[in-house]
Amino acid sequence: MNFSLTQCSAIITGASSGLGAEFARQLAPTAKSLLLVARREEALNEVKAELLAKHKNLQVHLCVADVATDEGRARIIECVDVFDLKPNMLINNAGIGDYGSFASADPAKLRGQIDLNVTALVLLTHAVLPRLVAPAGILNVSSLAGNVPMPDLAVYGASKAFVTSFSEALRVELMEKNIVVSALCPGPTPTNFGKNSRRADGSDTNRSGQELLRITPDEVVHAGLDALVSNRACVFPGLGVSIAAPIFRIMPRFLMRWLLVRRYRKQQPSAT
Ligand SMILES: NC(=O)c1ccc[n+]([C@@H]2O[C@H](COP(=O)([O-])OP(=O)(O)OC[C@H]3O[C@@H](n4cnc5c(N)ncnc54)[C@H](OP(=O)(O)O)[C@@H]3O)[C@@H](O)[C@H]2O)c1
């Protein structure tokens, strides 16, 4: 494997803010071209202007698309062909969450998480694969939440467990084709994710107390890119997360369940 970021041509989903925009910033100094994908055109344009102000020779293309839809994914493939890109990197980063109980969740948000975090990631990867020029890299942004059942974030956690498992299997299938697949599993990271995951009616769960796991978006992205280049299957960025992940993995299931119930009860508003 000799995948390198030098002169890479990358497709980044969810590039209008947070980790996606940071992937673009960190790739910009060495990349040949970037295809930035998201729904908000204005925000994408701001990221593009920021990149071009510093990197005059970089090709930055925008694709305004909802990755969660068939039309959106077809639009991305159309952009790859129209701009005559020869991508060697796909960063499946776009994702959403929903803080709060499953019973009180908006069904549209439940479906939205599966459509974007799972279906979009799988089908976009499948559509891009024939166009990826090896040596190539696919980075799937998963989460520490994929390593442990998450009461009050149940669908999100399960969707990220899917992403991590899918990435590990795909990695083996694509190894012979000289395509590296890595999963990036961050803990809580200060982006728009938390704000967007909150419930409009205030019924979301208090998720404070995660300071020990938190690191900055630029540290998370750096760890993700490093995982691809050094051909690592899975990376848990930051000291707190890198300690928590193996503990979750080896912890006896009965102990995990006891802790989950204890934590869940503590989080519930006390009856007055
Ligand atoms: N921040 C955390 O605490 C954390 C922790 C672990 C894992 N993650 C994962 O990190 C990834 C990036 O999230 P983030 O933290 O950077 O959150 P963010 O700041 O909210 O960014 C999410 C990005 O996804 C895009 N997006 C959302 N729905 C989309 C859709 N249907 N089609 C296309 N683009 C869409 C958004 O752009 P538009 O609104 O313009 O479409 C935005 O650019 C996600 O997969 C998330 O699950 C985040």
Side-chain angles (χ1 to χ4, degrees):
M1 293 278 178
N2 50 355
F3 173 70
S4 149
L5 302 180
T6 307
Q7 287 295 294
C8 69
S9 176
I11 303 170
I12 308 172
T13 69
S16 60
S17 74
L19 298 180
E22 184 57 29
F23 275 114
R25 281 183 205 108
Q26 293 196 21
L27 287 174
T30 53
K32 179 179 176 205
S33 74
L34 300 177
L35 178 64
L36 308 183
V37 183
R39 295 165 302 176
R40 289 170 301 140
E41 189 170 10
E42 209 180 308
L44 279 177
N45 269 314
E46 281 173 24
V47 176
K48 179 177 178 175
E50 180 193 331
L51 298 175
L52 290 181
K54 288 192 188 147
H55 310 282
K56 304 274 183 259
N57 295 327
L58 179 69
Q59 295 171 33
V60 183
H61 304 286
L62 303 185
C63 180
V64 179
D66 182 344
V67 196
T69 64
D70 288 340
E71 299 74 33
R73 291 186 292 273
R75 173 100 191 97
I76 297 170
I77 298 303
E78 193 184 310
C79 286
V80 170
D81 293 342
V82 166
F83 297 131
D84 195 24
L85 303 177
K86 305 276 179 271
N88 69 340
M89 192 172 182
L90 170 64
I91 303 181
N92 282 309
N93 164 72
I96 49 168
D98 178 34
Y99 294 153
S101 84
F102 175 75
S104 62
D106 175 354
K109 252 198 151 171
L110 296 177
R111 179 193 288 270
Q113 289 171 91
I114 298 168
D115 285 351
L116 182 62
N117 302 0
V118 176
T119 311
L121 182 140
V122 169
L123 294 183
L124 182 63
T125 303
H126 192 259
V128 167
L129 207 45
R131 289 166 174 80
L132 268 191
V133 180
I138 299 174
L139 183 64
N140 292 329
V141 181
S142 186
S143 171
L144 177 64
N147 265 45
V148 60
M150 297 288 289
D152 279 356
L153 198 54
V155 173
Y156 177 78
S159 76
K160 294 300 186 179
F162 176 97
V163 173
T164 306
S165 169
F166 170 69
S167 305
E168 293 257 12
L170 189 64
R171 172 181 174 81
V172 177
E173 288 190 33
L174 298 182
M175 216 168 247
E176 295 298 311
K177 295 186 160 66
N178 214 2
I179 300 175
V180 183
V181 181
S182 304
L184 170 63
C185 303
T189 311
T191 63
N192 289 334
F193 179 84
K195 187 180 64 154
N196 292 337
S197 300
R198 251 158 237 145
R199 297 261 172 102
D201 62 3
S203 67
D204 53 296
T205 317
N206 176 7
R207 305 204 81 81
S208 60
Q210 301 181 328
E211 284 69 24
L212 282 177
L213 301 176
R214 194 164 284 136
I215 59 170
T216 61
D218 81 295
E219 290 172 296
V220 170
V221 164
H222 186 271
L225 295 176
D226 189 53
L228 264 191
V229 171
S230 50
N231 196 2
R232 289 170 61 199
C234 199
V235 64
F236 294 91
L239 183 65
V241 170
S242 67
I243 293 172
I247 291 176
F248 290 155
R249 203 176 301 130
I250 60 170
M251 186 182 285
R253 212 61 185 174
F254 75 88
L255 181 58
M256 161 86 73
R257 290 185 187 122
W258 180 80
L259 285 171
L260 287 175
V261 171
R262 198 165 168 269
R263 185 167 186 269
Y264 182 70
R265 288 196 178 134
K266 239 171 97 182
Q267 280 174 338
Q268 301 311 300
S270 50
T272 49

